[in-house]
Amino acid sequence: MISKIETNTSHKKILLILLILVTVSISIRLYFLPLETPFKTDAIDYFSFAFETSKTHQFPSGILKTNDGWPLFLSPIFSIIGQSDMLTLINAQRITSILFSSLSIIPVYFLCKKFVSPKFSLIGASLFGFNHKLIENSILGVTEPLFIFLIIFMIIFSLENNKK
């Protein structure tokens, strides 16, 4: 009975630490977010595809030949925001990328937990969450944070022994 209470308390502490890690990670990324500058990289293609899809509700022709998953994910977000201000939508794209990048800390923790103890899994998750390359990548507003998020889940589920 005492070990069950200790385990429950330990799970609550780990959940609290993960929540703190995600919050600090989002805060750091938002601190470095350039709110007043437009895109410089290939995120412009993703933005224009998502913008056209959200306005016309059809696939635009001639904008992006491949990799239309990220823009199709962004187009409902652009429709919900509903503004045609380009900078607002650019920042929405960047913030969505930041959220996926920061939320990747949680599945990384569970992936690390399959190999090491929960204490070391927290260290692995924090090293992943505060990697400067991933922070920079999430600020750009490109597809990699969503890709990394989904790949981590794929690895976790492929390591699962449950046949269902």
Side-chain angles (χ1 to χ4, degrees):
M1 172 108 169
I2 294 176
S3 66
K4 185 177 179 181
I5 293 172
E6 289 175 1
T7 305
N8 193 13
T9 306
S10 174
H11 289 308
K12 287 182 181 179
K13 285 181 183 178
I14 288 174
L15 184 65
L16 180 66
I17 292 172
L18 280 175
L19 184 66
I20 290 170
L21 284 175
V22 169
T23 305
V24 171
S25 174
I26 289 172
S27 301
I28 289 172
R29 285 166 168 80
L30 289 176
Y31 177 77
F32 289 111
L33 181 66
L35 292 172
E36 298 162 355
T37 59
F39 290 127
K40 299 177 190 172
T41 60
D42 57 347
I44 296 169
D45 294 333
Y46 300 128
F47 173 78
S48 60
F49 189 95
F51 182 74
E52 285 295 319
T53 306
S54 70
K55 292 300 175 194
T56 62
H57 302 291
Q58 297 177 356
F59 287 109
S61 60
I63 293 179
L64 193 62
K65 303 290 186 210
T66 60
N67 298 335
D68 54 355
W70 177 244
L72 289 177
F73 182 79
L74 288 173
S75 63
I77 295 171
F78 288 177
S79 295
I80 290 171
I81 292 173
Q83 293 183 355
S84 61
D85 180 29
M86 183 176 152
L87 208 52
T88 303
L89 296 176
I90 285 173
N91 289 332
Q93 181 174 344
R94 286 179 174 155
I95 290 171
T96 304
S97 180
I98 285 171
L99 289 176
F100 272 107
S101 179
S102 296
L103 288 176
S104 295
I105 291 173
I106 297 169
V108 166
Y109 167 75
F110 287 110
L111 180 64
C112 291
K113 199 168 106 172
K114 289 189 177 289
F115 300 106
V116 295
S117 70
K119 290 187 298 188
F120 295 120
S121 299
L122 284 172
I123 293 171
S126 63
L127 287 175
F128 178 83
F130 299 116
N131 186 346
H132 66 92
K133 292 288 186 185
L134 293 176
I135 291 173
E136 179 183 354
N137 197 4
S138 67
I139 291 172
L140 294 176
V142 292
T143 63
E144 280 81 11
L146 179 63
F147 177 74
I148 291 170
F149 185 76
L150 294 175
I151 289 295
I152 293 168
F153 269 113
M154 185 187 74
I155 293 171
I156 289 172
F157 290 134
S158 67
L159 293 174
E160 194 68 34
N161 288 333
N162 192 354
K163 300 296 181 192
K164 294 180 183 178

